[in-house]
Amino acid sequence: MKIVSKISELKYELNKNKNSLGLVPTMGSLHMGHRSLMKRARVDNSFLAVSLFVNPLQFGPDDDFNKYPRDIDEDLVILKSENVDLVFIPDIKEIYPQEFSTKIIVDNLTRIYEGQYRKGHFDGVATVVSKLFSIFKPDKAYFGAKDAQQCALVKQVNKDLNFWVKIVICPTIRDKNGLALSSRNLYLNSQEKHAATLINEGLFKALDLFYLGEKRSYILCLKAQNIIESNSLLEINYIDIVDKDNFQKHTHVENNSLMIAAAKIGNIRLIDNIEIE
Ligand code: AMP
Protein backbone atom coordinates (compact mmCIF):
# COMPACT_ATOMS: atom_id res chain seq x y z
CA MET A 1 0.00 0.00 0.00
CA LYS A 2 1.40 3.34 -1.08
CA ILE A 3 1.05 6.22 1.41
CA VAL A 4 1.28 9.70 -0.09
CA SER A 5 0.81 13.16 1.37
CA LYS A 6 1.60 15.44 -1.60
CA ILE A 7 -0.65 16.04 -4.59
CA SER A 8 2.32 15.89 -7.01
CA GLU A 9 3.33 12.50 -5.64
CA LEU A 10 -0.27 11.33 -5.88
CA LYS A 11 -0.54 12.38 -9.55
CA TYR A 12 2.67 10.49 -10.28
CA GLU A 13 1.29 7.31 -8.68
CA LEU A 14 -2.09 7.65 -10.37
CA ASN A 15 -0.52 8.16 -13.79
CA LYS A 16 0.99 4.70 -13.54
CA ASN A 17 -2.48 3.26 -13.14
CA LYS A 18 -4.38 3.00 -16.40
CA ASN A 19 -7.26 0.93 -15.07
CA SER A 20 -10.43 1.77 -13.21
CA LEU A 21 -9.90 3.96 -10.17
CA GLY A 22 -12.22 3.82 -7.17
CA LEU A 23 -12.02 6.53 -4.50
CA VAL A 24 -13.32 6.37 -0.93
CA PRO A 25 -13.09 9.80 0.73
CA THR A 26 -12.94 9.65 4.55
CA MET A 27 -11.95 11.69 7.56
CA GLY A 28 -10.26 8.67 9.17
CA SER A 29 -11.08 7.12 12.54
CA LEU A 30 -12.16 4.20 10.39
CA HIS A 31 -14.90 1.77 11.38
CA MET A 32 -16.97 -0.94 9.69
CA GLY A 33 -19.04 1.71 7.87
CA HIS A 34 -15.93 3.01 6.09
CA ARG A 35 -14.73 -0.54 5.55
CA SER A 36 -17.96 -1.49 3.78
CA LEU A 37 -17.29 1.28 1.24
CA MET A 38 -13.76 -0.01 0.69
CA LYS A 39 -14.93 -3.60 0.29
CA ARG A 40 -17.44 -2.53 -2.36
CA ALA A 41 -14.87 -0.35 -4.12
CA ARG A 42 -12.30 -3.15 -4.00
CA VAL A 43 -14.66 -5.44 -5.88
CA ASP A 44 -15.57 -2.79 -8.47
CA ASN A 45 -12.13 -1.40 -9.32
CA SER A 46 -8.64 -2.54 -10.19
CA PHE A 47 -7.13 0.37 -8.21
CA LEU A 48 -8.51 1.44 -4.84
CA ALA A 49 -7.57 4.79 -3.31
CA VAL A 50 -8.71 6.14 0.05
CA SER A 51 -8.29 9.71 1.23
CA LEU A 52 -7.93 10.44 4.90
CA PHE A 53 -8.37 14.13 5.62
CA VAL A 54 -10.19 15.87 8.45
CA ASN A 55 -11.51 18.78 6.41
CA PRO A 56 -11.49 21.97 8.53
CA LEU A 57 -13.80 23.73 6.05
CA GLN A 58 -16.75 21.52 6.93
CA PHE A 59 -16.54 22.22 10.67
CA GLY A 60 -18.26 25.30 12.09
CA PRO A 61 -16.81 27.39 14.93
CA ASP A 62 -18.81 25.38 17.50
CA ASP A 63 -17.98 22.05 15.89
CA ASP A 64 -15.48 19.48 17.06
CA PHE A 65 -12.62 19.94 14.54
CA ASN A 66 -9.87 19.96 17.17
CA LYS A 67 -11.17 17.01 19.10
CA TYR A 68 -12.42 15.00 16.12
CA PRO A 69 -11.02 11.46 16.71
CA ARG A 70 -7.76 10.77 14.85
CA ASP A 71 -5.78 7.52 14.92
CA ILE A 72 -3.67 7.22 11.80
CA ASP A 73 -1.73 4.15 12.96
CA GLU A 74 -4.90 2.18 13.58
CA ASP A 75 -6.37 3.48 10.29
CA LEU A 76 -3.32 2.27 8.35
CA VAL A 77 -3.74 -1.24 9.78
CA ILE A 78 -7.37 -1.23 8.63
CA LEU A 79 -6.51 0.17 5.18
CA LYS A 80 -3.89 -2.54 4.64
CA SER A 81 -6.30 -5.25 5.69
CA GLU A 82 -8.83 -3.93 3.15
CA ASN A 83 -6.24 -4.27 0.42
CA VAL A 84 -6.17 -0.56 -0.40
CA ASP A 85 -3.64 0.34 -3.12
CA LEU A 86 -3.05 3.95 -2.16
CA VAL A 87 -3.88 6.18 0.78
CA PHE A 88 -3.70 9.96 0.51
CA ILE A 89 -3.06 11.71 3.84
CA PRO A 90 -2.44 15.39 3.04
CA ASP A 91 -1.89 18.07 5.62
CA ILE A 92 -4.19 21.08 5.64
CA LYS A 93 -1.80 23.32 3.67
CA GLU A 94 -1.56 20.78 0.86
CA ILE A 95 -5.32 21.00 0.30
CA TYR A 96 -5.79 24.65 1.29
CA PRO A 97 -2.58 26.60 0.66
CA GLN A 98 -2.45 30.09 2.13
CA GLU A 99 -3.65 31.74 -1.09
CA PHE A 100 -6.58 29.33 -1.46
CA SER A 101 -9.73 31.36 -2.10
CA THR A 102 -12.32 29.26 -3.94
CA LYS A 103 -15.43 27.82 -2.35
CA ILE A 104 -18.10 25.63 -3.93
CA ILE A 105 -21.51 26.78 -2.76
CA VAL A 106 -24.58 24.73 -3.58
CA ASP A 107 -27.99 26.39 -3.28
CA ASN A 108 -31.20 25.07 -1.72
CA LEU A 109 -30.21 21.60 -0.56
CA THR A 110 -27.46 22.95 1.68
CA ARG A 111 -29.62 25.46 3.54
CA ILE A 112 -32.09 22.98 5.04
CA TYR A 113 -31.99 20.22 7.68
CA GLU A 114 -28.29 19.52 8.37
CA GLY A 115 -27.42 22.75 6.55
CA GLN A 116 -29.59 24.73 8.95
CA TYR A 117 -27.94 23.26 12.02
CA ARG A 118 -24.40 23.28 10.62
CA LYS A 119 -23.92 26.59 8.82
CA GLY A 120 -21.31 26.36 6.08
CA HIS A 121 -20.86 22.62 6.59
CA PHE A 122 -22.02 21.60 3.13
CA ASP A 123 -20.01 24.35 1.42
CA GLY A 124 -16.98 22.78 3.06
CA VAL A 125 -18.01 19.30 1.93
CA ALA A 126 -18.75 20.47 -1.63
CA THR A 127 -15.37 22.22 -1.81
CA VAL A 128 -13.30 19.31 -0.55
CA VAL A 129 -15.17 16.76 -2.68
CA SER A 130 -14.63 18.95 -5.75
CA LYS A 131 -10.93 19.17 -4.93
CA LEU A 132 -10.67 15.41 -4.44
CA PHE A 133 -12.54 14.72 -7.68
CA SER A 134 -10.25 17.15 -9.55
CA ILE A 135 -7.10 15.67 -8.05
CA PHE A 136 -7.97 11.97 -8.37
CA LYS A 137 -10.29 12.01 -11.40
CA PRO A 138 -11.75 8.72 -10.15
CA ASP A 139 -14.02 6.54 -12.25
CA LYS A 140 -16.16 5.82 -9.20
CA ALA A 141 -16.46 7.36 -5.75
CA TYR A 142 -18.12 5.72 -2.76
CA PHE A 143 -20.26 7.38 -0.10
CA GLY A 144 -22.37 6.06 2.78
CA ALA A 145 -26.19 6.32 2.82
CA LYS A 146 -25.92 7.26 6.51
CA ASP A 147 -25.02 10.79 5.41
CA ALA A 148 -27.99 11.06 3.05
CA GLN A 149 -27.93 14.82 2.55
CA GLN A 150 -24.22 14.64 1.79
CA CYS A 151 -24.97 11.97 -0.84
CA ALA A 152 -27.57 14.25 -2.48
CA LEU A 153 -25.09 17.15 -2.37
CA VAL A 154 -22.25 15.14 -3.92
CA LYS A 155 -24.51 13.96 -6.74
CA GLN A 156 -25.57 17.56 -7.39
CA VAL A 157 -21.99 18.89 -7.47
CA ASN A 158 -20.87 15.99 -9.65
CA LYS A 159 -23.63 16.77 -12.12
CA ASP A 160 -23.36 20.57 -12.01
CA LEU A 161 -19.57 20.64 -12.43
CA ASN A 162 -19.40 17.74 -14.92
CA PHE A 163 -16.95 15.63 -13.00
CA TRP A 164 -18.37 12.49 -14.66
CA VAL A 165 -17.66 10.38 -11.60
CA LYS A 166 -19.98 7.45 -10.98
CA ILE A 167 -21.30 8.00 -7.46
CA VAL A 168 -21.93 4.76 -5.60
CA ILE A 169 -24.04 4.95 -2.44
CA CYS A 170 -23.46 2.11 0.02
CA PRO A 171 -25.94 1.02 2.73
CA THR A 172 -25.68 2.22 6.33
CA ILE A 173 -23.79 -0.16 8.60
CA ARG A 174 -25.23 -0.47 12.11
CA ASP A 175 -24.10 -2.02 15.37
CA LYS A 176 -25.97 -4.95 16.94
CA ASN A 177 -28.51 -2.54 18.46
CA GLY A 178 -29.16 -0.85 15.15
CA LEU A 179 -27.22 2.34 15.93
CA ALA A 180 -25.64 3.69 12.73
CA LEU A 181 -21.86 3.49 13.06
CA SER A 182 -20.18 6.87 13.24
CA SER A 183 -16.76 8.12 14.32
CA ARG A 184 -18.65 10.41 16.71
CA ASN A 185 -20.11 7.41 18.59
CA LEU A 186 -16.71 7.26 20.29
CA TYR A 187 -17.74 10.34 22.28
CA LEU A 188 -20.73 8.52 23.83
CA ASN A 189 -20.64 6.78 27.20
CA SER A 190 -22.66 3.58 27.59
CA GLN A 191 -25.76 5.37 28.92
CA GLU A 192 -25.69 7.84 25.99
CA LYS A 193 -25.09 5.04 23.51
CA HIS A 194 -28.12 3.24 24.86
CA ALA A 195 -30.20 6.44 24.46
CA ALA A 196 -28.84 6.95 20.93
CA THR A 197 -30.31 3.63 19.77
CA LEU A 198 -33.76 5.18 20.22
CA ILE A 199 -33.09 7.22 17.08
CA ASN A 200 -32.86 4.13 14.89
CA GLU A 201 -35.63 2.44 16.88
CA GLY A 202 -37.92 5.41 16.22
CA LEU A 203 -37.21 5.29 12.49
CA PHE A 204 -37.73 1.55 12.23
CA LYS A 205 -40.95 1.63 14.29
CA ALA A 206 -42.26 4.32 11.91
CA LEU A 207 -41.34 2.04 9.02
CA ASP A 208 -43.37 -0.77 10.65
CA LEU A 209 -46.32 1.60 10.83
CA PHE A 210 -45.87 2.44 7.16
CA TYR A 211 -45.93 -1.27 6.35
CA LEU A 212 -49.25 -1.45 8.18
CA GLY A 213 -50.62 1.06 5.66
CA GLU A 214 -49.95 4.51 7.20
CA LYS A 215 -48.70 6.92 4.52
CA ARG A 216 -49.16 10.31 6.20
CA SER A 217 -45.78 11.75 7.04
CA TYR A 218 -46.85 13.60 10.18
CA ILE A 219 -48.23 10.41 11.76
CA LEU A 220 -45.09 8.47 10.90
CA CYS A 221 -42.88 11.27 12.22
CA LEU A 222 -44.94 11.49 15.41
CA LYS A 223 -44.37 7.78 15.99
CA ALA A 224 -40.61 8.21 15.71
CA GLN A 225 -40.70 11.41 17.75
CA ASN A 226 -42.50 9.75 20.69
CA ILE A 227 -39.94 6.98 20.82
CA ILE A 228 -36.94 9.30 20.59
CA GLU A 229 -38.38 11.73 23.13
CA SER A 230 -38.96 8.91 25.63
CA ASN A 231 -35.38 9.42 26.78
CA SER A 232 -34.61 12.85 28.23
CA LEU A 233 -30.95 12.64 27.17
CA LEU A 234 -32.09 13.09 23.56
CA GLU A 235 -33.04 16.45 22.09
CA ILE A 236 -34.56 16.18 18.61
CA ASN A 237 -33.31 18.62 15.97
CA TYR A 238 -35.60 17.34 13.24
CA ILE A 239 -37.57 14.33 12.05
CA ASP A 240 -39.09 14.47 8.60
CA ILE A 241 -39.93 12.62 5.43
CA VAL A 242 -38.27 14.11 2.37
CA ASP A 243 -37.31 13.41 -1.21
CA LYS A 244 -34.01 11.53 -1.25
CA ASP A 245 -32.57 13.68 -4.07
CA ASN A 246 -33.53 17.24 -3.14
CA PHE A 247 -34.68 16.99 0.49
CA GLN A 248 -38.01 18.66 -0.26
CA LYS A 249 -40.71 17.66 2.21
CA HIS A 250 -43.10 14.80 1.36
CA THR A 251 -46.43 15.15 3.15
CA HIS A 252 -47.22 11.56 2.20
CA VAL A 253 -44.80 8.74 1.52
CA GLU A 254 -43.91 8.53 -2.17
CA ASN A 255 -41.36 6.76 -4.29
CA ASN A 256 -38.00 8.15 -3.30
CA SER A 257 -39.10 9.04 0.27
CA LEU A 258 -36.51 9.11 2.98
CA MET A 259 -37.20 9.45 6.68
CA ILE A 260 -34.50 11.55 8.28
CA ALA A 261 -33.74 12.33 11.92
CA ALA A 262 -31.16 14.28 13.87
CA ALA A 263 -30.86 14.49 17.63
CA LYS A 264 -28.41 15.82 20.15
CA ILE A 265 -27.05 14.07 23.20
CA GLY A 266 -25.26 16.76 25.14
CA ASN A 267 -23.03 18.43 22.55
CA ILE A 268 -22.99 15.47 20.21
CA ARG A 269 -25.25 15.49 17.17
CA LEU A 270 -26.27 12.18 15.64
CA ILE A 271 -28.06 11.67 12.35
CA ASP A 272 -29.80 8.69 10.83
CA ASN A 273 -32.24 7.91 8.03
CA ILE A 274 -34.14 5.06 6.40
CA GLU A 275 -35.67 4.67 2.99
CA ILE A 276 -39.40 4.47 3.46
CA GLU A 277 -40.98 3.11 0.34
P1 AMP B 1 -16.51 10.33 7.35
O1 AMP B 1 -15.15 9.78 7.68
O2 AMP B 1 -17.40 10.44 8.54
O3 AMP B 1 -16.44 11.59 6.52
O4 AMP B 1 -17.20 9.23 6.43
C1 AMP B 1 -16.60 8.82 5.23
C2 AMP B 1 -17.61 8.04 4.42
O5 AMP B 1 -18.05 6.91 5.16
C3 AMP B 1 -18.86 8.87 4.12
O6 AMP B 1 -19.26 8.62 2.78
C4 AMP B 1 -19.86 8.34 5.11
O7 AMP B 1 -21.20 8.47 4.68
C5 AMP B 1 -19.46 6.88 5.18
N1 AMP B 1 -19.97 6.28 6.41
C6 AMP B 1 -19.83 6.76 7.67
N2 AMP B 1 -20.52 5.99 8.55
C7 AMP B 1 -21.10 5.00 7.82
C8 AMP B 1 -21.95 3.90 8.14
N3 AMP B 1 -22.34 3.65 9.39
N4 AMP B 1 -22.36 3.10 7.14
C9 AMP B 1 -21.99 3.35 5.84
N5 AMP B 1 -21.19 4.38 5.48
C10 AMP B 1 -20.75 5.19 6.45
Side-chain angles (χ1 to χ4, degrees):
M1 183 174 76
K2 202 90 198 163
I3 303 171
V4 297
S5 58
K6 299 283 176 221
I7 295 170
S8 54
E9 216 184 327
L10 176 70
K11 293 305 269 182
Y12 175 77
E13 289 301 325
L14 294 179
N15 279 341
K16 290 192 214 161
N17 164 53
K18 297 281 175 253
N19 299 312
S20 73
L21 168 60
L23 171 66
V24 179
T26 81
M27 297 204 297
S29 185
L30 303 174
H31 51 64
M32 288 308 292
H34 300 109
R35 294 179 81 151
S36 71
L37 272 50
M38 294 174 210
K39 286 183 202 301
R40 170 73 197 273
R42 182 68 283 175
V43 172
D44 290 355
N45 301 279
S46 57
F47 195 90
L48 167 56
V50 174
S51 63
L52 212 151
F53 177 61
V54 184
N55 174 33
L57 238 55
Q58 70 189 68
F59 289 78
D62 302 331
D63 275 347
D64 53 352
F65 175 71
N66 285 323
K67 68 179 180 78
Y68 192 82
R70 292 163 172 89
D71 189 346
I72 293 199
D73 292 339
E74 176 65 24
D75 286 349
L76 289 176
V77 173
I78 291 174
L79 292 161
K80 274 191 195 135
S81 75
E82 294 299 343
N83 227 344
V84 169
D85 294 304
L86 179 147
V87 53
F88 179 47
I89 316 181
D91 67 18
I92 295 178
K93 285 211 166 64
E94 187 67 10
I95 298 294
Y96 304 120
Q98 212 160 14
E99 67 279 15
F100 186 82
S101 36
T102 301
K103 221 184 228 179
I104 307 294
I105 295 174
V106 181
D107 272 341
N108 304 327
L109 182 62
T110 60
R111 306 287 169 247
I112 48 181
Y113 299 109
E114 278 307 282
Q116 206 178 342
Y117 285 90
R118 303 184 68 188
K119 299 264 184 266
H121 167 70
F122 285 125
D123 301 340
V125 173
T127 303
V128 80
V129 166
S130 301
K131 286 215 59 153
L132 291 172
F133 283 5
S134 302
I135 296 167
F136 279 88
K137 302 196 170 28
D139 297 287
K140 296 182 178 165
Y142 296 79
F143 295 87
K146 190 199 79 120
D147 298 291
Q149 205 170 347
Q150 173 170 285
C151 292
L153 170 89
V154 168
K155 284 181 177 171
Q156 188 72 46
V157 171
N158 186 49
K159 195 164 120 195
D160 288 350
L161 298 183
N162 302 96
F163 282 119
W164 306 107
V165 178
K166 169 134 181 49
I167 307 297
V168 182
I169 307 299
C170 302
T172 300
I173 304 297
R174 300 175 180 280
D175 73 9
K176 62 179 190 318
N177 299 314
L179 177 65
L181 298 186
S182 161
S183 307
R184 290 192 168 89
N185 293 354
L186 289 172
Y187 300 145
L188 303 172
N189 63 33
S190 61
Q191 202 190 5
E192 291 168 334
K193 215 166 178 180
H194 178 71
T197 61
L198 289 173
I199 303 172
N200 49 279
E201 198 181 315
L203 294 178
F204 281 100
K205 285 275 157 54
L207 185 62
D208 288 345
L209 194 58
F210 167 71
Y211 287 144
L212 290 173
E214 181 58 67
K215 290 198 169 53
R216 290 167 297 176
S217 296
Y218 82 95
I219 300 283
L220 296 169
C221 291
L222 203 59
K223 176 79 186 171
Q225 185 184 333
N226 287 337
I227 291 167
I228 298 173
E229 275 178 353
S230 69
N231 189 310
S232 60
L233 287 177
L234 288 165
E235 181 199 328
I236 296 174
N237 283 166
Y238 57 77
I239 301 175
D240 223 332
I241 294 182
V242 298
D243 184 287
K244 194 162 95 179
D245 294 324
N246 57 25
F247 275 65
Q248 292 304 302
K249 223 176 171 67
H250 281 174
T251 54
H252 287 75
V253 174
E254 296 173 29
N255 290 337
N256 225 28
S257 282
L258 192 71
M259 188 164 192
I260 55 172
K264 273 183 92 172
I265 302 187
N267 287 327
I268 302 150
R269 286 187 78 253
L270 297 173
I271 57 170
D272 200 352
N273 68 82
I274 49 168
E275 284 190 25
I276 190 152
E277 52 181 329

